[in-house]
Structure formats: structure tokens, C-alpha cells
Amino acid sequence: MKAVYQLTRPALLWQLLMVVAVLLPHSLRLPWWLPLMTFGALGWRLWVYLGRTSFPHWSVKFMMAVTAGIGVIMSIGRGNGPELAVALLFAGFSLKLLEIYKRRDALVLIYVAYFLAATELLFGQSLLHALYVALVLVLITAALNSVYQSERHPDFWRPLRASIRLVLPALPLMVVLFVVVPRIGPIWYAPLAQGEARTGLSDTLSPGDVSRLTGSSEVAFRVQFDNGRPPPPSSRYWRGLTYDRFDGRRWEAEKDRSLFQSPDSESGTLLRYNITQEPSGQPWVYALDYPVSAPWPLRMQANQTLRAPAKIRQRVDFALASRLSSDSFQPLTAAQRERYLVLPERGNERARALALSWRAEDASTESLVARALALYGREFSYTLTPERLGDDSIDDFLFDTQEGFCGHFASSLTFLLRAAGVPTRIVGGYLGGEWNPYENYLVVRQFEAHAWTEVWHQGRGWVRVDPTAAVAPERIEQSAEQLLSSQPGFLSDTPLSPVRFGHISWINTLRMRTDALNFVWHRWVLSYQLRQNDLLQKLLGEVTLWKLALGLLIPFSLVLGWVALGLLRQRRPKTKDPVDAALLRLSGRFESRGLGRKPGEPVGRYAQRIALARPDLAPIIGTVARLYEQLRYAEGGEPRIQKAYLAAVRACVRQL
């Protein structure tokens, strides 16, 4: 005999569907063997369901659990806390499939499923992620309903319908709570590991580093301008960090943490904008060259770069202001001048000799820069896949390979000018951005990473010089996508990126509309706390305690009243058959007098019970019972009998 709490077959199928839905998005980021183990456990449980095999012995389950735990730790490593925790939970959740038999087992699986579904939002918070998690929660609730479904009603879809009826009334309440209740920051934060495609530029730079980022179409940041219009393409330089130390192969970022001093007088158009930066795992914030102010908690350093107090591990918003030309002329100190002139004592001798020969002919900074740019424009080519450089990387690039990416040109120009006695540094950031007309913002992606040079001019300060423009001027005026699409290494890390198919109009339109939808989702949902006060003022005027209370009370009363009305209506059995409907109305009239029809009570016996309690109604209630039995069991004359039956019911109600 079956145990009282053994799962029905529809309930078991709902558990299996729930497991697949919960684990599917996690399986794409975990070690490859974990999803295989999950589908193996799923297949085993299906075979048990079909009666082809039995449940594994407890010793087999114990060995599988131990092996899975050790495998997860070895595959992911103990240093990646959230990823390791989710993977262990994933493994245990999968193996629990081999124990689903009774209601208690299913409830444990369901409660873990709710938590595991929520962990998906640790790894992605786009609108698509949120919709998927919401659908999974509905599915888990359906699995929960199925556990309590009676064997007398084995309808497979009934738990899903019940789940939807439970969730729908909660949606308006959720919206009201979201809009009105004050937002606070997260109580705790779990940092996640970031890959190179999301990290972008690092605090060291070698000539090939920037070109590697062209393999990724991941978004670096989005920008929305207060005036609704972006600057021209030639002015879209996004400053991130500066490099000043060179060891012969690699440049290191400046360690100077002194603050930027705003000039007494400023000129040029001030651009105000809001930047939404994606997680990078680095502390610097990208700003349009040149930023003039830093909102809290950012620090604007003396080199006009912005730095956050900690590494950016979640999407952040900052309101910034920039000018397209720099007015920050401050004389270099002796220490600063030495720092921007220092080179390794040995190496790259041919480049040193070339720089000294230029200086001997004309030592002016303008002339030295012009001669270097002329050299690039005359003899060099632009490519994402240059030849490998040797120990003397500058010499190899200038005199042998003569082909490279922006990092090669910026590095060699900085070396040449320093060798000629001109203070110089490299700036790393991005150049360009794709305009999205559906929400009027600029999208800057990883493949638009760029490096350029800043040269110190006496009396003018730091001046931007982009040597890439001398070799490939189209890189400045065109989008990086148009220029690099024919290069072999372009988008190699994301071969199926929709950006690759931008020449197909409908795909490009769909991509932009989807990105615009996610942008709105981020601004008004994920970053709602930044705009909540303004929205409440528009809706309520002056925000006071009693207005907030009414804003909560009125919608809650309407929704709860609607739910209560639905519950009251559910208490009354519904039928579309006019014969049964008439009998239900009659029973409802007698119910207030203690004479309602009992569940399963035959109509004839019910009529006898009423006749004993109310002899005055015996004739008419007897007629009702007789006609009802004729309608249900006799043949012929149904329309006439039904008409007489309904008339008898009405007469009984009148006499009552």
C-alpha cells in the first residue's frame, strides 16, 4: 500500500521540471561535468519513475556526494566564494533528485530551489535574467502546489494554474512597495570573479594588451548626456588611467595619488553626463577627456583620472562633467619632470639614436612630434595581429615590423619623445561609442579600448597626441566596428555577438532596442534609489509621512479587497448546467435555515429531509426532486421536463 505522503506522478514530474529550470542558467558557467552529473541523476530518477530500476543504495549516494564536493573544490578553487558556494549547492541540489519519493523530500528540494533561483541574480541583473527568474519562481510554486494535490485530482496543469492565481495578486502589491518604500544599499555584497573581457584595461600596459580587448563585444559603460547629444566622434576620448614607468617591455600605471587642482579660469563648453559603468574589477572610472569635477566618493587625481575608493564589482552610476579641451596648466615639479622622462638605462638603442638625431636638428616639442607622426604616416600600417616583438620591443616595432595597434604607436611615440627630452606619458581608455537612438545614449564596448600619448608643452601643459590618427585616421572618425570588422582577431572571444551582424538591418535594430530596454531597466529598477525621491515628488508633491501612508494603504486595500472578493466567489460552487445551478440556488436559500444540501447527498433524500423539517413545502420539494431525477435518468421530453423543473424550483423559493 502506498504511503500517505508519497508523491503522485504529476507531482514528481513537476519536481523534475523545476530542477531543470533552476539549474539551466547555472550550467552555462559551472564546470562541464556538473551539468552532465545533473542530467545523469535526472535520467536515473526517470528510470525509477518508469519502473526500470530502483533507487541507489545509500552508500552509492554518499560516494557520489563526496566525489562531487571534492570535484567542485578542485575545479573552482576555494578563493572564489560565491561561485564555489553556488556550485556546491548546484551539486547537492542535483543529487537530491535521487531521493525524491515522499512529500518531505520534495519540500526540501523546493525550498532549496527558491534560494538557488535567486542566486542567478548574483551573476546577471538584466531584464532577461529577471524575467527568467520570475518564471522559474512561478514554476517552483507550481511544484509546491503539486505536492499537496490529491490523488483524486491528478490534473497535471492544475498546480500551474494555482501558482499563477497566487502570483498575480502579489504583482500590484510588489509594484507599490517598490515605488513607495525607501531604498537602502545592500547589507552585504559578494564579489564575483571577473574575466578579462569584462576587466578591460589593467594597471600595466604592453603593446599587445589593448588589441586583445578587440576580441570582446562586452559593454564597458554607457553614457547619457544632459543635452541629449553626444560630442563628435573625434572628441570621444574616454580617459581611464595614465602610464608613466617603462621597463623595456611594459608600462606601469602612475602611483601618484595627489588630487587635481581646478584652474582659476575655465573655458570651453561644459558637458554634463551620466555614466553607467559595468563591473570591471578595477578602481578607475572612465570619463570624457577632460573631466573637471569628481562626485563623491570618486577622487580626481592630479593626472585628471577618476578613481573609486574600491574595485568596481557591480554596475555603478556617476554624474560627471567634462570639457573637451584641458585648461589644467600647472608647472611640472622637478620630480614630476624626471618621472615623465625616465627610461631604462639600456635597450632600444636605435630608437634612442633616432630621437637624439631629431633633437639635434630641431629641439622644439612641436617639431619632434611632427617628425614622429610623419614617420608613422609614411611607413607604418595598422593591424590587430602584428608580429611578435623581441626584447627591444620599441626598436623591433620602429625599424622591423612597422605594423601594430594603438598600444604599439603610443608606446613607441612616448619612448621617442622621452629619449629626445620631452616629458610624455601614455593614457589608456576608450575611443568612440555607438549611439543608441531609442533611449539617446552612447554605448562603449571593450573592442573600442584605445591608448594615446600626452605630451608636455611648456606654457600649455599636457596636450593629447594620438599617433594612431597618423596611420589610420579612420579610427578617429569612424566607429571601431567599421574599421576592425575586417581584421582577423575582431570579436574572436564573442563570435556569436549580435555586433558582428550589424550590417543586417533588422538584427541591428533588434540589438539596439534590446539594449535600450536593458538600459531603462537598469536606470528605473536596478538604480531606482537614485531617482526615487524625484519620482515621489512628481507623484505626491511634497513627500510627507501621511502621503506615503495613503500611498501604501489605498493600493493595498484595493488589491486585498479584490483578493477577498475572489476568495468569497470561490466558496460558491460554479456550474454552467442550468439544472444543477437551480438546485444550488435552492440549496443556498435553505442553508441559512440549517437545511443546506450535504456533499454527495442524493436529491431524493435531501427532499425527504426538507419535507420532515418543513411539511408545508413537502409537495413542491417532492415535485422538484421527482423532476430532477427524470432529467438525469429518464429518456425523452427533456426540454418540457426541464421547463417544469425550473418552474417548480422558482415556486419552492417563493413559498420559502
Side-chain angles (χ1 to χ4, degrees), residues 85-369:
V86 171
L88 289 172
L89 194 61
F90 186 105
F93 187 71
S94 303
L95 294 177
K96 186 64 179 176
L97 281 168
L98 302 177
E99 292 186 341
I100 302 178
Y101 181 67
K102 296 184 179 181
R103 179 184 296 173
R104 179 188 60 188
D105 306 318
L107 290 177
V108 172
L109 197 71
I110 289 169
Y111 299 151
V112 176
Y114 278 115
F115 182 79
L116 194 56
T119 61
E120 172 62 20
L121 297 177
L122 289 174
F123 302 93
Q125 298 176 358
S126 67
L127 178 59
L128 183 61
H129 281 88
L131 290 176
Y132 184 82
V133 170
L135 292 175
V136 170
L137 293 179
V138 172
L139 192 61
I140 297 173
T141 306
L144 179 62
N145 288 327
S146 71
V147 169
Y148 293 96
Q149 183 176 243
S150 171
E151 291 186 0
R152 297 179 180 178
H153 304 283
D155 182 8
F156 181 79
W157 298 107
R158 185 176 182 182
L160 182 60
R161 293 193 294 268
S163 175
I164 294 174
R165 288 195 299 269
L166 284 172
V167 171
L168 284 179
L171 294 179
L173 299 181
M174 178 187 69
V175 173
V176 171
L177 289 173
F178 178 82
V179 172
V180 178
V181 174
R183 304 264 80 75
I184 60 174
I187 299 176
W188 57 274
Y189 175 69
L192 301 177
Q194 304 292 334
E196 182 186 13
R198 298 192 65 119
T199 299
L201 298 172
S202 66
D203 54 3
T204 60
L205 177 71
S206 60
D209 287 346
V210 179
S211 62
R212 281 199 294 270
L213 291 174
T214 60
S216 172
S217 63
E218 293 287 336
V219 174
F221 52 88
R222 297 176 176 87
V223 189
Q224 194 167 44
F225 295 89
D226 288 5
N227 61 6
R229 300 186 307 275
S234 59
S235 299
R236 296 176 189 172
Y237 283 86
W238 302 95
R239 190 183 192 89
L241 63 164
T242 59
Y243 303 90
D244 64 336
R245 298 191 62 180
F246 185 57
D247 62 3
R249 296 284 303 177
R250 188 179 298 271
W251 294 85
E252 294 184 7
E254 284 194 67
K255 300 298 191 294
D256 186 6
R257 296 292 181 265
S258 57
L259 298 181
F260 173 74
Q261 301 294 328
S262 299
D264 296 333
S265 61
E266 297 180 350
S267 61
T269 304
L270 185 67
L271 287 177
R272 298 188 182 276
Y273 54 95
N274 188 83
I275 186 168
T276 302
Q277 186 162 318
E278 296 295 319
S280 63
Q282 305 290 356
W284 39 83
V285 175
Y286 296 95
L288 191 65
D289 221 358
Y290 298 87
V292 296
S293 62
W296 185 90
L298 301 183
R299 290 166 53 93
M300 179 176 286
Q301 301 176 151
N303 55 17
Q304 280 189 276
T305 60
L306 302 180
R307 189 178 182 90
K311 293 181 179 181
I312 298 174
R313 300 191 183 275
Q314 59 183 341
R315 187 181 289 139
V316 291
D317 287 285
F318 294 110
L320 304 177
S322 297
R323 298 185 188 276
L324 300 184
S325 59
S326 177
D327 294 327
S328 59
F329 172 69
Q330 296 175 359
L332 290 180
T333 64
Q336 289 174 329
R337 185 177 183 85
E338 181 180 358
R339 184 167 76 243
Y340 295 125
L341 285 173
V342 67
L343 289 173
E345 294 182 1
R346 296 182 180 85
N348 301 295
E349 300 302 330
R350 288 184 291 174
R352 295 176 193 264
L354 178 62
L356 291 176
S357 67
W358 288 351
R359 181 179 180 182
E361 296 177 13
D362 188 344
S364 67
T365 301
E366 292 81 0
S367 176
L368 293 170
V369 171

Side-chain angles (χ1 to χ4, degrees), residues 25 39-40 52 62 64 72 143 152 174 192 212 227 268-269 286 317 325 345 409 473 501 510 517 560 579 634 648:
F39 285 107
R52 304 285 182 85
F62 177 77
M64 292 176 67
V72 167
R152 297 179 180 178
M174 178 187 69
L192 301 177
R212 281 199 294 270
N227 61 6
T269 304
Y286 296 95
D317 287 285
S325 59
E345 294 182 1
F409 295 108
F501 307 100
L510 180 62
L517 192 61
L560 292 179
V579 175

Side-chain angles (χ1 to χ4, degrees), residues 346-397:
R346 296 182 180 85
N348 301 295
E349 300 302 330
R350 288 184 291 174
R352 295 176 193 264
L354 178 62
L356 291 176
S357 67
W358 288 351
R359 181 179 180 182
E361 296 177 13
D362 188 344
S364 67
T365 301
E366 292 81 0
S367 176
L368 293 170
V369 171
R371 296 194 67 163
L373 296 181
L375 174 66
Y376 292 134
R378 186 173 60 250
E379 301 181 12
F380 287 73
S381 60
Y382 184 84
T383 179
L384 292 181
T385 55
E387 295 182 27
R388 185 177 180 85
L389 303 177
D391 292 336
D392 291 335
S393 58
I394 304 298
D395 279 357
D396 291 346
F397 172 68

Side-chain angles (χ1 to χ4, degrees), residues 635-650:
E635 296 182 1
E638 182 175 340
R640 179 180 56 81
I641 297 176
Q642 180 172 321
K643 184 177 180 181
Y645 165 77
L646 295 176
V649 170
R650 288 193 295 270

